[in-house]
Amino acid sequence: MATFIKTYLPKLSMMSVAISATFMLVTPATAQDGEEAYAKNCQSCHQANGTGLAGAFPPLANNPHLADDKLHVVRTVLKGMSGPLEVNGNKYNAMMPPMQHLSDDEIAAIANHVLSSWGNDFGSVSVADVDAMRVELGLKDRAAGKP
């Protein structure tokens, strides 16, 4: 029995850590987790009810850009956005700064909150989706604190 424990227990422990880590990466962060992060990072412009501010900050509620592309939120949080934008017939031309300082968990949670709140039913994203978007945008090294 001692040989079994000595030989296989470390391997089983490493397997459980690997399985747990994988599960965390592919499991969507919940919208409930994102409500607080949204309030801290997004609400002052996009408002608590997701309606934005007319002429300044676009709505996230019933926004067709989000319905067409669930990763739009993730991409916008990571890259920011500026220049002309039209949402539901209304024009906007403000600047949203990139928020690359937020963790992948926070971004996924915020995105899931936005994608499922205020009547939105636009799917969900995972932490792995956010990580992949950082790579796609060339931001992975910066996110790890490297130049």
Side-chain angles (χ1 to χ4, degrees), residues 2-139:
T3 304
F4 174 83
I5 291 173
K6 196 174 181 183
T7 304
Y8 293 104
L9 189 58
K11 291 177 184 175
L12 291 173
S13 295
M14 289 305 293
M15 283 177 52
S16 67
V17 167
I19 290 168
S20 297
T22 301
F23 180 74
M24 287 172 49
L25 281 176
V26 297
T27 302
T30 66
Q32 184 177 8
D33 295 338
E35 188 172 6
E36 184 178 334
Y38 175 87
K40 289 179 183 176
N41 296 286
C42 314
Q43 183 171 301
S44 60
C45 296
H46 296 286
Q47 305 302 295
N49 60 3
T51 57
L53 291 172
F57 305 109
L60 300 175
N62 301 309
N63 184 321
H65 298 287
L66 308 182
D68 295 340
D69 176 14
K70 68 181 184 176
L71 293 175
H72 183 80
V73 176
V74 173
R75 192 177 303 104
T76 303
V77 169
L78 288 170
K79 278 183 23 179
M81 184 175 273
S82 63
L85 174 70
E86 188 171 322
V87 179
N88 298 326
N90 297 309
K91 296 183 189 230
Y92 300 88
N93 193 359
M95 188 205 141
M96 178 181 150
M99 303 183 114
Q100 300 163 12
H101 63 282
L102 296 174
S103 71
D104 291 355
D105 288 327
E106 289 171 308
I107 294 171
I110 289 168
N112 288 328
H113 175 69
V114 169
L115 293 169
S116 65
S117 296
W118 319 299
N120 292 346
D121 187 14
F122 303 146
S124 64
V125 299
S126 68
V127 174
D129 292 331
V130 177
D131 182 66
M133 184 60 67
R134 277 194 202 270
V135 171
E136 181 180 319
L137 297 173
L139 303 173

